[in-house]
């Protein structure tokens, strides 16, 4: 009997493309990424982001297999981000995931992007039944598990916090590498210049 189930997962719902390999215990066997970076002050368009993913995804799958010292025969299933996210990049990832699953004769699992973030947090923290403030580029929600489903108990109806940070970064010409929110945070931590208070 096999010791552990191993899943190769592909995430590409926005400008970050990632391929991870994990076992059922949550051990990360590989986690490789490539970010589509646009010039500061600009955003990323879905068609250009999809092209980036298409250009890099197969190399990342190979790199993840190499890093984990695994072969396709040792992979038990393929997971991919089904949504939410940007349509064109999601389609690019889904096509590759379906193709790999067919070529390797593996089951395929579509994953909800928001739920995946929550489940990663639960795994890392050991939380049993968290109430989560979920903040991303497209969503700001209060989510909790209730009656065998993740339920949204509240959300913004105008603009998501992540989208707001993305727009601020574009307006201020701040890079999206590694992410606009992180770069805004680093700028905010800087000691003010005494001459420019």
């Amino acid at each position: 009997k096999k010791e552990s189930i191993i899943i190769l997962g592909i995430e590409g719902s926005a400008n970050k493309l990632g391929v991870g390999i994990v076992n059922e215990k949550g051990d990360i066997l590989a986690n490789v990424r490539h970010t589509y970076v646009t010039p500061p002050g600009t955003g990323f368009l879905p068609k250009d982001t999809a092209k980036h993913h298409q250009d890099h995804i197969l190399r990342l799958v190979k790199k993840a297999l190499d890093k984990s010292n695994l072969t396709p025969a040792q992979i038990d299933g393929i997971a991919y981000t089904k949504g939410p996210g940007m349509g064109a990049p999601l389609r690019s990832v889904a096509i590759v995931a379906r193709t790999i699953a067919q070529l390797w004769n593996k089951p395929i699992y579509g994953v909800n992007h928001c739920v995946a973030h929550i489940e990663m947090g639960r795994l890392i923290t050991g939380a049993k039944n968290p109430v989560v403030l979920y903040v991303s580029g497209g969503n700001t929600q209060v989510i909790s598990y209730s009656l065998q489903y993740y339920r949204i108990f509240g959300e913004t109806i105008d603009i998501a916090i992540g989208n707001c940070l993305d727009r601020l970064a574009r307006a201020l010409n701040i890079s999206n590498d590694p992410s606009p929110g992180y770069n805004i945070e680093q700028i905010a931590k800087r000691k003010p210049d005494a001459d420019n208070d």
Side-chain angles (χ1 to χ4, degrees):
K1 182 180 182 233
K2 190 170 179 178
E3 185 179 306
S4 183
I5 294 172
I6 297 173
I7 301 293
L8 181 142
I10 305 172
E11 204 293 306
S13 58
N15 69 318
K16 290 174 182 35
L17 175 64
V19 177
I21 300 177
V22 298
N23 64 24
E24 65 186 285
K25 297 178 213 163
D27 298 323
I28 299 169
L29 308 176
N31 182 17
V32 295
R33 296 174 301 277
H34 197 277
T35 301
Y36 174 54
V37 178
T38 58
T42 64
F44 40 92
L45 297 173
K47 68 181 175 85
D48 298 331
T49 307
K51 176 77 169 86
H52 165 269
H53 292 5
Q54 293 161 14
D55 291 345
H56 294 277
I57 194 164
L58 294 178
R59 182 180 56 80
L60 288 182
V61 169
K62 182 177 179 347
K63 190 173 178 182
L65 288 169
D66 291 345
K67 188 171 177 98
S68 66
N69 292 315
L70 295 170
T71 66
Q74 295 169 292
I75 302 294
D76 296 298
I78 307 298
Y80 71 99
T81 304
K82 191 173 182 179
M86 297 170 66
L90 285 170
R91 277 189 299 279
S92 296
V93 166
I95 289 167
V96 171
R98 288 182 187 119
T99 302
I100 289 172
Q102 288 178 348
L103 288 172
W104 296 352
N105 195 29
K106 306 294 180 185
I108 188 166
Y109 307 98
V111 176
N112 179 291
H113 187 190
C114 303
V115 172
H117 278 291
I118 294 168
E119 288 296 317
M120 286 187 314
R122 285 185 61 206
L123 178 67
I124 292 166
T125 65
K128 300 294 181 218
N129 191 18
V131 175
V132 177
L133 175 59
Y134 179 75
V135 177
S136 73
N139 305 88
T140 300
Q141 302 167 321
V142 176
I143 302 173
S144 187
Y145 195 75
S146 175
L147 304 174
Q148 300 181 342
Y149 291 96
Y150 278 102
R151 306 211 184 249
I152 299 169
F153 290 95
E155 63 186 320
T156 56
I157 56 174
D158 51 0
I159 184 172
I161 299 289
N163 193 334
C164 180
L165 293 173
D166 292 347
R167 289 181 183 188
L168 176 64
R170 282 195 301 273
L172 297 177
N173 248 3
I174 297 171
S175 173
N176 70 348
D177 183 19
S179 73
Y182 175 83
N183 292 336
I184 291 168
E185 180 182 356
Q186 298 315 302
I187 291 168
K189 288 179 180 178
R190 290 183 193 158
K191 187 175 181 179
D193 184 356
D195 295 335
N196 295 322
D197 283 351

